[in-house]
């Protein structure tokens, strides 16, 4: 018998789509942050405002992703996405406050790690194998 590709409960398929969209939007938003920071560092000082606005968007998407992953888990989906979401949201919260405090020796490498984490999460969330029963 083949493992099913959808979450254990049929009602979770809509929640799965919401999670995929949120993770994808989150990855796009977090990947845009280095672009804004680079623009600022190359002399376009208006980009700093966009970088801060982008940080707010990234944070809100991160928290929404955690909530959506929790709903998916409770609906019978995998719990790994909730754990990853919590770790990324915690990292982004630290990233946000490190940026406000000007602690760039933490802000920059943490930003690189968060971009990598979100790109990998996006790839994983769109792979059908990630949603097999028992994971």
């Amino acid at each position: 018998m083949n493992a099913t590709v959808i979450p254990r409960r049929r009602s979770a398929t809509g929640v799965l789509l919401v999670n995929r969209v949120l993770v994808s939007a989150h990855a796009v938003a977090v990947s845009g942050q280095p672009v804004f920071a680079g623009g600022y560092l190359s002399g376009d000082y208006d980009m700093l405002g966009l970088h801060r606005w982008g940080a707010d968007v990234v944070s809100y998407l991160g928290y929404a992703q955690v909530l959506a992953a929790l709903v998916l888990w409770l609906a019978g989906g995998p719990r790994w996405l909730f754990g990853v979401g919590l770790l990324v949201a915690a990292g982004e919260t630290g990233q946000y406050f490190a940026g406000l405090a000007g602690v760039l020796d933490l802000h920059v490498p943490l930003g690189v790690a968060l971009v990598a984490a979100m790109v990998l999460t996006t790839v994983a969330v769109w792979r059908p194998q990630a949603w097999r029963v028992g994971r």
Side-chain angles (χ1 to χ4, degrees):
M1 182 170 167
N2 290 339
T4 182
V5 179
I6 59 174
R8 285 176 265 176
R9 291 190 212 149
R10 189 137 187 97
S11 64
T13 56
V15 180
L16 170 60
L17 179 61
V18 168
N19 274 274
R20 285 178 167 170
V21 169
L22 272 173
V23 167
S24 300
H26 191 186
V28 168
V30 80
S31 297
Q33 285 297 89
V35 175
F36 298 145
Y40 169 71
L41 293 173
S42 60
D44 186 353
Y45 299 113
D46 292 335
M47 294 296 264
L48 185 59
L50 287 175
H51 185 66
R52 182 168 179 159
W53 178 81
D56 291 337
V57 170
V58 166
S59 295
Y60 296 140
L61 285 170
Y63 301 141
Q65 180 184 327
V66 169
L67 290 175
L70 177 62
V71 170
L72 180 64
W73 179 21
L74 294 175
R79 62 180 172 252
W80 68 265
L81 187 57
F82 178 69
V84 168
L86 279 178
L87 287 173
V88 168
E92 286 172 348
T93 301
Q95 171 79 347
Y96 191 95
F97 288 110
L100 287 176
V103 184
L104 296 182
D105 54 343
L106 173 63
H107 187 74
V108 172
L110 185 54
V112 172
L114 289 168
V115 170
M118 283 311 304
V119 168
L120 292 173
T121 303
T122 302
V123 170
V125 82
W126 283 99
R127 291 185 58 167
Q129 296 87 350
W131 305 105
R132 292 193 184 191
V133 173
R135 287 194 177 186

